[in-house]
Amino acid sequence: MKLSENMNQVPVGPFHPLLEEAEYFNLTVEGETVVDIDLDIGWMHRGHEFISEQKTFTQSIFLVERICGICSTSHPLACVHAIEDVDNIEIPERAAYIRTLVGELERIHSHLLWLGLAGHFIGYDTLWMWAWKYREPVLQMFEIISGNRNHYGVMRVGGVSRDIDLDRVKELHKILDTVDAKIKMIAAAAPDDPVLKSRLVGVGVLTNQDAIDMCAVGPTSRASGVPWDVRKDEPTDAYGLVDFDVIVLQNGDVWDKLVVRLLETLESTKICRQCLDKLKTVKGPILNNVKEISAGEGIGRYEAPRGEVFHYVRTDGSNRAIRHKIRAPSYVNIPTYSASCKGIPIADALITLAAVDPCYCCTERALRVKGEDPDAIDFVKLSREKTERIRREIHGH
Amino acid sequence: MGWYNKRLAKSIWVFHVSASPCNNCDIEILDLLTPKYDVERLGIKLVGSVRHADVLLVSGVINQKVAPMVKKIYEQAPKPIFVMGVGTCPSGGCCFNDSYNIVENREDVIPFDIYVPGCPPKPEAMIAGAAKLMEVLNG
Ligand code: SF4
């Protein structure tokens, strides 16, 4: 964008005290108002798709888990869905409940994490400390289920790797009750808070049309009145067997995004409770032994806390994928900045940027920057070239 | 520098450098500040500028794009500065050793003084790492 006389550029990053990950924004401002936003990513690119194509299926589940520390169930889950899709592999019922339980616990921890960071971004550290304090028991639940606070390693092709015995189910029930009570407390207190409200209502509005045009997913789109949720639209695992609502709000501002996430957290506790109840009664194996995966293609979808994550694998009958394509939700949510950030005061810019809960670790796998001038890269061109390359690979001409 | 290090050990201020991690180590670092672990009681404080820092917490496998920036940050830091590698990523490369985009030798980019392995390390392990560092500083 060409700068006129009274425009200035404000660079943010790549290392900035408020940003947890390395990322670089270039805000063009006129006075106080943001008129344009540019963003440079690639600081987190580690080449997952490339590495995954050299690993066996089971190894690549561990690898995709490490795409992002916050979605460390969503990626493996979408990945195993994709691999299972190749051969239409069924999973045992008990495994389905465990998968859903872990997935929903992750949503609780991720949304609480976002809530805390959102508070931190607007300088409201009390909310941060609160939200993270009550997130701790969720991590404790993960430790009981999987032995690790993050990166659970629970998903396998054909089921899950760990069972949860009855004593643990009871223990988890107890912890869930405390978490639930605390979330309810936050959900009741936060909307009444005048600071939060005056800071967030009407800020960074993403209109319904923009959300549809830009293909926004997850809470970002659901706060703008687009009722898309993979869990409801195409239920996998135990989502078809449990009862829950999809939260949809209409205004599209940061406030609505916050409320969507809070209410979703409550829905998640509801799902978790149902899963735990079922784990008491539904017995049976947790893993179907899958000997081999035949040649073919498969897609896997899952509603991650940030939106739909999509995995595609192509196999040739060996024990590894010959093509593994990953599409993370932040990648489609990030372009909504151009709609929601323009025209707002610069002080509101950061919370608007944070409101889509962007995860750059997820996003940055698709671009190779080495040896090139990063400014000269044309994303559209690269992406088209990539599509063309894949088309040629598949069709052979 | 012994006298200086001893004073440093009383209250180390840390700056967090995320050099292409998976985010998990970073959220565990932030976790340290929240009520359950609350490292501020030990004098450890997360600061906003590298110029105020005594210790750099580096997480991640340092990819080609971020490496020059990490180097720059190290150069900008007031010396003596100590570098703590958080997680398996800086200590062993985790599962990214086959990647085309990571630097070959992380120690060339930034000289690590102490590693805390684990994927991600538990906050307790990070506190233990910091305690060891303090021990060394105290001589
Ligand atoms: S050590 Fe593990 S948790 Fe930490 S950044 Fe690396 S992959 Fe993520």
Side-chain angles (χ1 to χ4, degrees):
Chain A
M1 180 170 182
K2 211 161 159 38
L3 289 185
S4 78
E5 203 176 301
N6 42 10
M7 284 186 190
N8 276 317
Q9 287 194 323
V10 182
V12 182
F15 292 99
H16 187 270
L18 277 181
L19 307 172
E20 211 199 306
E21 302 158 79
E23 63 237 36
Y24 179 79
F25 300 107
N26 201 349
L27 303 174
T28 309
V29 293
E30 190 172 358
E32 276 261 296
T33 316
V34 179
V35 289
D36 196 19
I37 176 162
D38 193 12
L39 144 117
D40 180 16
I41 59 174
W43 309 94
M44 305 276 170
H45 180 65
R46 282 154 294 159
H48 277 93
E49 294 180 8
F50 174 78
I51 308 173
S52 171
E53 283 152 22
Q54 303 164 47
K55 305 264 185 202
T56 66
F57 290 123
T58 313
Q59 285 171 332
S60 79
I61 294 168
F62 285 91
L63 182 75
V64 295
E65 194 161 33
R66 277 151 185 78
I67 287 176
C68 167
I70 313 175
C71 306
S72 48
T73 304
S74 315
H75 281 290
L77 203 44
C79 179
V80 293
H81 283 163
I83 299 169
E84 282 162 3
D85 187 39
V86 177
D87 273 343
N88 290 324
I89 296 163
E90 297 281 327
I91 62 166
E93 196 181 348
R94 193 174 167 84
Y97 282 114
I98 295 179
R99 277 186 182 183
T100 303
L101 172 70
V102 176
E104 288 309 309
L105 283 177
E106 183 193 70
R107 197 177 315 277
I108 301 175
H109 115 77
S110 172
H111 283 350
L112 284 180
L113 182 142
W114 177 84
L115 183 68
L117 286 181
H120 179 51
F121 286 149
I122 59 172
Y124 189 25
D125 278 350
T126 317
L127 185 64
W128 179 29
M129 292 298 163
W130 257 21
W132 282 54
K133 183 175 168 195
Y134 300 135
R135 182 179 152 264
E136 256 339 290
V138 185
L139 298 184
Q140 199 189 336
M141 289 172 85
F142 277 128
E143 212 167 348
I144 292 173
I145 295 173
S146 72
N148 204 359
R149 284 159 54 89
N150 313 77
H151 287 332
Y152 327 108
V154 173
M155 305 303 159
R156 289 287 183 282
V157 179
V160 292
S161 64
R162 272 168 182 263
D163 203 354
I164 308 174
D165 59 27
L166 197 60
D167 289 346
R168 293 217 169 130
V169 171
K170 284 185 189 143
E171 207 177 323
L172 291 174
H173 244 304
K174 255 190 232 143
I175 304 176
L176 188 65
D177 286 341
T178 58
V179 175
D180 199 20
K182 295 300 179 194
I183 296 171
K184 284 210 175 100
M185 187 193 80
I186 295 181
D192 283 342
D193 196 311
V195 184
L196 265 185
K197 216 165 186 168
S198 59
R199 197 64 175 66
L200 304 181
V201 172
V203 170
V205 176
L206 179 70
T207 59
N208 184 294
Q209 194 55 44
D210 278 339
I212 295 172
D213 288 349
M214 298 184 163
C215 305
V217 291
T220 311
S221 72
R222 289 198 287 275
S224 300
V226 185
W228 288 335
D229 191 325
V230 180
R231 294 177 294 169
K232 255 304 189 250
D233 302 342
E234 206 175 86
T236 46
D237 304 324
Y239 283 112
L241 308 169
V242 292
D243 167 44
F244 68 100
D245 295 325
V246 175
I247 311 288
V248 183
L249 295 181
Q250 303 300 331
N251 295 332
D253 53 1
V254 180
W255 176 255
D256 270 11
K257 285 175 187 144
L258 182 141
V259 177
V260 162
R261 290 201 174 93
L262 265 177
L263 297 180
E264 251 175 37
T265 318
L266 289 175
E267 288 302 314
S268 296
T269 54
K270 213 163 93 187
I271 302 177
C272 288
R273 188 157 300 122
Q274 294 172 42
C275 289
L276 284 174
D277 283 339
K278 286 285 182 191
L279 284 179
K280 286 180 187 158
T281 51
V282 177
K283 295 276 182 301
I286 51 159
L287 186 62
N288 280 343
N289 208 348
V290 180
K291 285 273 188 291
E292 57 187 35
I293 305 285
S294 49
E297 292 179 302
I299 59 166
R301 303 162 75 194
Y302 180 67
E303 184 76 21
R306 287 159 187 72
E308 178 194 348
V309 21
F310 177 94
H311 279 236
Y312 163 86
V313 292
R314 189 145 46 87
T315 55
D316 60 353
S318 68
N319 64 349
R320 60 195 67 201
I322 51 172
R323 178 77 185 105
H324 189 172
K325 164 78 192 149
I326 304 160
R327 179 177 175 268
S330 296
Y331 193 68
V332 273
N333 282 338
I334 285 171
T336 65
Y337 288 165
S338 59
S340 57
C341 275
K342 280 187 193 160
I344 62 171
I346 187 163
D348 286 342
L350 195 74
I351 184 66
T352 311
L353 296 179
V356 309
D357 199 358
C359 177
Y360 296 91
C361 297
C362 284
T363 306
E364 299 176 355
R365 306 159 328 275
L367 182 69
R368 185 171 178 183
V369 251
K370 184 187 164 191
E372 293 178 42
D373 175 10
D375 294 337
I377 286 178
D378 182 352
F379 284 78
V380 179
K381 189 164 146 252
L382 272 179
S383 136
R384 286 197 184 134
E385 279 172 358
K386 191 165 180 177
T387 319
E388 173 67 9
R389 207 167 54 239
I390 294 168
R391 192 193 63 78
R392 244 185 258 137
E393 261 175 39
I394 293 176
H395 295 304
H397 57 77
Chain B
M1 293 301 271
W3 64 271
Y4 181 84
N5 285 353
K6 265 195 193 132
R7 274 147 195 82
L8 207 64
K10 284 199 177 13
S11 165
I12 49 179
W13 285 15
V14 299
F15 181 76
H16 168 220
V17 184
S18 92
S20 47
C22 79
N23 236 350
N24 222 337
C25 283
D26 312 50
I27 57 175
E28 292 291 69
I29 289 172
L30 284 185
D31 233 17
L32 285 175
L33 302 172
T34 54
K36 186 164 182 201
Y37 297 99
D38 193 16
V39 286
E40 283 190 17
R41 74 201 143 103
L42 306 175
I44 302 174
K45 191 171 173 226
L46 199 66
V47 291
S49 164
V50 67
R51 306 223 186 252
H52 300 160
D54 307 316
V55 173
L56 297 180
L57 297 181
V58 182
S59 57
V61 274
I62 313 186
N63 75 11
Q64 309 267 12
K65 183 166 179 177
V66 89
M69 294 295 166
V70 174
K71 218 173 194 159
K72 216 173 184 174
I73 282 196
Y74 183 75
E75 280 158 12
Q76 285 178 351
K79 309 288 177 308
I81 186 104
F82 302 93
V83 184
M84 183 196 266
V86 178
T88 310
C89 276
S91 31
C94 200
C95 39
F96 305 114
N97 282 325
D98 295 336
S99 170
Y100 50 80
N101 199 27
I102 66 170
V103 293
E104 251 157 49
N105 193 353
R106 283 176 288 276
E107 300 233 333
D108 287 348
V109 179
I110 186 165
F112 289 98
D113 294 302
I114 180 168
Y115 288 110
V116 181
C119 185
K122 292 184 78 165
E124 287 93 336
M126 294 187 201
I127 297 177
K132 279 203 182 116
L133 184 67
M134 287 180 194
E135 224 170 79
V136 174
L137 290 180
N138 275 323

Coordinates of all heavy atoms in Angstrom, one line a residue, chain A residues 46 66 69 151, chain B residues 20-26 59-61 86-90 94-96 118-121, ligand 1:
Chain A
R46 N 8.3 -25.4 10.3 CA 9.2 -26.5 10.5 C 9.1 -27.7 9.5 O 9.8 -28.6 9.6 CB 9.0 -27.1 11.9 CG 9.5 -26.2 13.0 CD 8.8 -26.5 14.3 NE 7.4 -26.0 14.2 CZ 6.4 -26.3 15.0 NH1 6.6 -27.2 15.9 NH2 5.2 -25.8 14.8
R66 N 2.7 -32.4 17.4 CA 3.6 -31.3 17.7 C 3.5 -30.2 16.7 O 4.4 -29.3 16.7 CB 5.0 -31.9 17.8 CG 5.3 -32.4 19.2 CD 6.3 -33.6 19.2 NE 6.3 -34.1 20.6 CZ 5.4 -35.0 21.1 NH1 4.4 -35.3 20.3 NH2 5.5 -35.4 22.3
G69 N 1.0 -26.9 20.2 CA 0.8 -27.4 21.6 C -0.6 -27.2 22.1 O -0.9 -27.9 23.1
H151 N 0.3 -32.6 25.1 CA 0.8 -33.7 24.2 C 0.5 -35.0 24.8 O 1.3 -35.7 25.5 CB 2.3 -33.6 24.0 CG 2.7 -32.5 23.1 ND1 1.9 -32.0 22.2 CD2 3.9 -31.7 23.1 CE1 2.5 -31.0 21.6 NE2 3.7 -30.8 22.1
Chain B
S20 N 10.6 -20.9 16.8 CA 9.8 -21.9 16.1 C 9.6 -23.2 17.0 O 10.1 -24.2 16.7 CB 10.4 -22.3 14.8 OG 11.8 -22.5 14.8
P21 N 8.9 -23.0 18.1 CA 8.5 -24.1 18.9 C 7.1 -24.6 18.5 O 6.6 -24.2 17.4 CB 8.4 -23.5 20.3 CG 7.9 -22.1 20.0 CD 8.4 -21.7 18.7
C22 N 6.5 -25.5 19.2 CA 5.1 -25.9 18.9 C 4.2 -25.1 19.8 O 3.0 -25.4 19.8 CB 4.9 -27.3 19.0 SG 4.7 -27.9 20.7
N23 N 4.7 -24.2 20.6 CA 3.8 -23.4 21.4 C 3.6 -24.0 22.8 O 3.2 -23.3 23.7 CB 2.4 -23.3 20.8 CG 1.9 -21.9 20.6 OD1 2.6 -21.0 21.1 ND2 0.9 -21.7 19.9
N24 N 3.8 -25.2 23.0 CA 3.5 -25.9 24.2 C 4.4 -25.5 25.3 O 4.0 -25.2 26.4 CB 3.5 -27.4 24.0 CG 2.3 -28.0 24.7 OD1 1.8 -27.4 25.7 ND2 2.0 -29.2 24.3
C25 N 5.7 -25.4 24.9 CA 6.7 -25.0 25.9 C 6.4 -23.5 26.3 O 6.5 -23.2 27.5 CB 8.1 -25.1 25.3 SG 8.7 -26.7 25.3
D26 N 5.9 -22.7 25.4 CA 5.6 -21.3 25.7 C 4.5 -21.2 26.7 O 4.5 -20.4 27.6 CB 5.3 -20.6 24.4 CG 6.3 -20.8 23.3 OD1 6.5 -22.0 23.0 OD2 6.7 -19.9 22.7
S59 N 12.8 -21.5 23.4 CA 12.1 -22.7 23.1 C 12.0 -22.9 21.6 O 12.0 -21.9 20.8 CB 10.7 -22.7 23.7 OG 10.0 -21.6 23.2
G60 N 12.0 -24.2 21.2 CA 11.9 -24.4 19.8 C 13.1 -24.8 19.0 O 14.2 -24.6 19.5
V61 N 13.0 -25.3 17.8 CA 14.1 -25.8 17.0 C 14.8 -24.7 16.2 O 15.6 -25.1 15.3 CB 13.7 -26.9 16.1 CG1 13.7 -28.2 16.8 CG2 12.3 -26.7 15.5
V86 N 14.5 -24.5 26.7 CA 13.4 -25.1 27.3 C 12.8 -26.1 26.3 O 12.4 -25.8 25.2 CB 12.3 -24.1 27.7 CG1 11.1 -24.8 28.3 CG2 12.9 -23.1 28.6
G87 N 12.8 -27.4 26.8 CA 12.1 -28.4 26.0 C 13.1 -29.3 25.2 O 14.3 -29.0 25.1
T88 N 12.6 -30.4 24.6 CA 13.4 -31.3 23.8 C 13.9 -30.6 22.5 O 14.9 -31.0 22.0 CB 12.6 -32.5 23.5 OG1 12.1 -33.0 24.7 CG2 13.5 -33.6 22.9
C89 N 13.1 -29.7 22.1 CA 13.4 -29.0 20.8 C 14.8 -28.4 20.8 O 15.6 -28.8 20.0 CB 12.4 -27.9 20.5 SG 10.9 -28.6 19.7
P90 N 15.1 -27.5 21.7 CA 16.5 -27.0 21.6 C 17.5 -28.0 22.1 O 18.6 -28.0 21.5 CB 16.5 -25.8 22.6 CG 15.2 -25.9 23.4 CD 14.3 -26.7 22.7
C94 N 13.9 -32.7 18.9 CA 12.6 -33.4 19.0 C 12.4 -34.2 17.7 O 13.3 -34.9 17.3 CB 11.5 -32.3 19.2 SG 10.0 -33.0 19.8
C95 N 11.2 -34.1 17.1 CA 11.1 -35.0 15.9 C 11.3 -34.2 14.6 O 10.9 -34.6 13.5 CB 9.7 -35.6 15.9 SG 8.4 -34.5 16.5
F96 N 12.0 -33.1 14.7 CA 12.1 -32.2 13.5 C 13.5 -32.3 12.9 O 13.8 -31.5 12.1 CB 11.9 -30.7 13.9 CG 10.5 -30.6 14.6 CD1 10.4 -30.2 15.9 CD2 9.4 -30.8 13.8 CE1 9.2 -30.0 16.5 CE2 8.1 -30.7 14.4 CZ 8.0 -30.3 15.8
G118 N 12.4 -32.4 27.9 CA 11.0 -32.7 28.2 C 10.1 -32.1 27.1 O 10.4 -31.1 26.6
C119 N 9.0 -32.8 26.8 CA 8.3 -32.3 25.6 C 6.8 -32.2 26.0 O 6.0 -33.1 25.7 CB 8.5 -33.3 24.4 SG 7.7 -32.7 22.9
P120 N 6.3 -31.2 26.5 CA 7.0 -30.1 27.1 C 7.5 -30.5 28.5 O 6.9 -31.3 29.2 CB 6.0 -29.0 27.2 CG 4.7 -29.7 27.4 CD 4.8 -31.0 26.7
P121 N 8.6 -29.8 29.0 CA 9.0 -30.1 30.4 C 7.9 -29.6 31.4 O 7.2 -28.7 31.1 CB 10.2 -29.3 30.6 CG 10.3 -28.3 29.5 CD 9.4 -28.8 28.4
Ligands
SF4_1 S1 9.9 -29.6 23.1 FE1 8.0 -30.5 22.6 S2 6.5 -29.2 23.6 FE2 8.4 -28.0 23.5 S3 8.3 -26.8 21.7 FE3 9.3 -28.7 21.2 S4 7.8 -30.0 20.4 FE4 6.7 -28.4 21.5

